[in-house]
Amino acid sequence: MSDEPHVLLRTEGCAGFVTLNRPRAINALTHAMVRRIDEALTRWEDDPAVETVVIEGAGERGLCAGGDIRAIHADARAGGTASADFWRDEYRLNARIARYRKPYVALMDGIVMGGGVGVSAHGSVRVVTERSRVAMPETGIGFVPDVGGTYLLGRAPGELGAHLALTGTPVGAADALLVGLADHFVPSEDLPALAAELTRTPAREAVAAFARTAPPGVLEERRAWLDSCYAADTVEAVVERLFEAGTPEAKETATTLLAKSPTALKTTLAAIRRARRADSLETVLNMEFRLSCAALASADLVEGIRAQVVDKDREPRWSPATLAEVTDEDVARYFAAPPGGDLGLSAPA
């Protein structure tokens, strides 16, 4: 397995298959993987034999757990530019997927987080299963939702997107459908048959034949207090409302927020609200590139990855340590142009 490419490409019938192939890392994305996916999309876009593109993950654990954050950690500690170079190509790929001229079917089985959302949830046909756990968990490592995550979550009903962006809470199939991260539920045991059908049948027709009703989620029944609490003007006010909402789930949510990077929380709330007003995905990706580059130079990203992934002590020492210490100026700096220049994506005319 170690000698195989980290992205496997094959065509079968009328479909081109992209298989993310780092199962031991839950198919976490590297820069080389992003380039290979992009090259495949280029090759297949004008190939009349390929009518549908399908992306899937190798192994049993998930489609993709995100970017290779150990590599990002090393780059941030060294003051390098490799992560910014990676994001530049990754975000361009996200935009390309969203504009792809052929059906792009994402089989979002198992863990789909961070960069995994970027290569799936911008697709035109997005399939989740009872095993799906979809999340943008960036605030827990001192980062901000990227790969167009603020664009997707900014368009979720009410304040559900803000809740998911700030807490990083993974959602199952029904909730992924509710917030607009997926389109169809298919039982995981039917995915091999669906993949086979996609080789001979138009994508939407094939998926419709296998789609079922998802098991119930939890967000709809919590909408009232989530919408009320996250409508507050500041993160501090959101937390206060959650503690006062009168339900155990709301109190637990407040406690969850207080464990995240205070700077990341305030920046994420500002980003979600800007993304809601944005005129295109490309505009939001340009913004997120600024946020990511600023985070790369921050203490919290290095510390967050250390605590969660490297040392695994789960005790990050955020700087600033509290929401009250994070100023408007601190947040504004995340939205400034990065030293290496902007992403510069433009929406198609």
Side-chain angles (χ1 to χ4, degrees), residues 295-307:
L296 189 65
S298 74
D300 274 8
L301 180 60
V302 171
E303 173 62 11
I305 298 175
R306 179 207 65 77

Side-chain angles (χ1 to χ4, degrees), residues 95-110:
R96 182 175 197 180
I97 290 168
R99 305 288 184 183
Y100 204 62
R101 297 199 307 265
K102 295 180 177 181
Y104 181 101
V105 181
L107 302 182
M108 301 168 68
D109 187 39

Side-chain angles (χ1 to χ4, degrees), residues 289-335:
F289 185 71
R290 292 185 170 197
L291 302 177
S292 297
C293 290
L296 189 65
S298 74
D300 274 8
L301 180 60
V302 171
E303 173 62 11
I305 298 175
R306 179 207 65 77
Q308 299 297 335
V309 179
V310 179
D311 297 338
K312 299 183 181 179
D313 59 29
R314 307 292 193 266
E315 295 182 2
R317 296 178 289 276
W318 305 121
S319 179
T322 67
L323 289 166
E325 294 174 87
V326 180
T327 67
D328 291 343
E329 290 74 22
D330 292 333
V331 173
R333 280 194 286 270
Y334 275 71
F335 292 88

Side-chain angles (χ1 to χ4, degrees), residues 49-249:
V50 176
E51 298 175 7
T52 298
V53 172
V54 183
I55 188 165
E56 60 187 2
E60 298 297 319
R61 298 170 69 190
L63 172 66
C64 177
D68 188 341
I69 58 175
R70 285 182 178 269
I72 293 171
H73 181 259
D75 188 44
R77 291 188 65 190
T81 62
S83 297
D85 294 340
F86 166 61
W87 291 323
R88 192 177 291 275
D89 285 343
E90 183 185 25
Y91 300 173
R92 290 181 180 277
L93 175 63
N94 302 147
R96 182 175 197 180
I97 290 168
R99 305 288 184 183
Y100 204 62
R101 297 199 307 265
K102 295 180 177 181
Y104 181 101
V105 181
L107 302 182
M108 301 168 68
D109 187 39
I111 291 172
V112 185
M113 296 185 179
V117 172
V119 296
S120 60
H122 295 298
S124 52
V125 184
R126 305 162 302 172
V127 176
V128 284
T129 76
E130 77 284 354
R131 293 167 14 97
S132 295
R133 295 295 178 268
V134 187
M136 298 298 297
E138 287 76 11
T139 59
I141 58 167
F143 199 49
V144 179
D146 65 336
V147 299
T150 62
Y151 179 86
L152 294 164
L153 294 177
R155 281 152 180 76
E159 297 291 339
L160 296 181
H163 167 63
L164 297 180
L166 268 67
T167 62
T169 301
V171 295
D175 289 332
L177 294 166
L178 173 64
V179 301
L181 295 174
D183 306 301
H184 304 280
F185 169 78
V186 173
S188 59
E189 65 182 8
D190 290 340
L191 290 184
L194 170 58
E197 191 64 29
L198 287 165
T199 68
R200 53 183 176 262
T201 305
R204 296 185 188 282
E205 181 181 332
V207 173
F210 286 89
R212 301 290 183 266
T213 300
V218 300
L219 290 180
E220 187 61 63
E221 65 186 36
R222 299 178 182 178
R223 273 289 301 277
W225 61 263
L226 285 171
D227 285 355
S228 173
C229 293
Y230 282 94
D233 291 337
T234 66
V235 179
E236 292 96 324
V238 170
V239 171
E240 184 177 353
R241 289 187 184 188
L242 287 166
F243 275 125
E244 294 174 351
T247 72
E249 294 83 6

